[in-house]
Amino acid sequence: MDLPALKARLQAEVQARTELLIDASHQIHAHPEVNYEERFAHDLLCGILEAEGLAVERGACDLDTAFLARAGTSGPTIAVLCEYDALPGLGHACGHNIIATAGLGAGLAAAAVADDVGGQILVVGTPAEEGGGGKILMAQRGAFEGVDAALMVHPAGAELTRMHVIAVQELTATYRGQAAHAAAAPHQGRNALDAAVLGYLNVAALRQHIRPSERIHGIFTAGGDKPNIVPALARTEWMVRSDTIATLTPLKERVAACLRAGADAAGCEVEIAWKSVVYADMLDNEVLVARYRANAAALGRQVREPDDTAVVVGSTDMGNVSYLVPSIHPMIQAAPAGVPIHTPEFERSAAAPLGDDAVVDGATALAWTVADLWLGDGVLEAATREHEATMAGVGADARRSAIGG
Ligand SMILES: [Zn+2]
Ligand SMILES: [Zn+2]
């Protein structure tokens, strides 16, 4: 089979499953499940993949709602990623039902031809994108070993080559002092609330001297029980964001220094606990972005670079995957122009005709990009070379921060 014949076959395979894919999308949409509770979506997707003969590992990587589904026995292994978690209170306002079923459609179509073509497909069910870092844990547990490239598509109110992804990590600072009667023996106390307040003010001063694109936001979650008791315990929680995981590292150190200085000044102790998952920036593979863009254009979707009129800024654990293998995270239009994700209007659109079209076209564009990687002349080699060059540029420290272990 040559590449045009393969693409025609893949499109026919997706079209034959249109009803199945849209039905699955609507079912997931109607059963929104948050981080690591996506049992309905996990079981639905695994059942469909098993029924079509893929080798499915349910609860993969020691995560109840993750899965890995494989087909093909030789040739390059291309991963297609499915997200399916929803937002608390907002349902599928990020449209992950579309990601799940576009990935499902691409995976089923590719699986149907994998052995004829000499390619391998891995459908990866990745839970908890919204803050739980499912892809990061799966990556640490080997899900992407032997994978040559990783593809997914995210719905949006625009047709874009990429999301503007920034790195983020969360921390909790717990201050401990010495309780005392605030009137009778204040000199015996060491005030943990003062320590936390001073730490907060230090960060406020720091904010004047960080890059304009960086963000640090914090709240107090504990600060004493009664005014006449010197607080022995106080706690603040923070999100620290920077453009890349490399620039995040020094910013984290500056924030930690501010928080510690508050403790020192007040004669208290502080314990700074960083959340174990760090969302990296996204290293979009331009070779693959170009292939996706051409494939989407053939379906009548004009994918463009983000600009002031259309951009989606956020964080995603796909960024971490992009530090491991050549990866893309294009945005497919699934809502009227300009409707932002994480809104009730986007939630409605995710199961309406615009969202349904995005499932079918997303599946086809992804399947065609798999075809380019399997059979395209030099595509996989060029994508791999680009990835190696990019990784040489970001350095070992950033790679360690992105994948950790
Ligand atoms: Zn989201
Ligand atoms: Zn999302």
Side-chain angles (χ1 to χ4, degrees), residues 37-60:
E37 294 175 11
E38 313 94 332
R39 288 171 206 288
F40 176 86
H42 169 274
D43 291 351
L44 177 73
L45 296 165
C46 288
I48 294 170
L49 290 158
E50 284 162 355
E52 294 228 11
L54 283 86
V56 180
E57 192 187 333
R58 291 176 177 240

Side-chain angles (χ1 to χ4, degrees), residues 83 87 93-96 129-130 154 315 341-342:
E83 296 175 1
L87 291 159
C94 209
H96 292 183
E129 187 280 327
E130 298 282 357
H154 195 297
S315 301
I341 55 175
H342 292 210

Side-chain angles (χ1 to χ4, degrees), residues 61 136 158 161 361 365 397:
C61 302
I136 303 170
T161 54
D361 285 354
D397 284 351

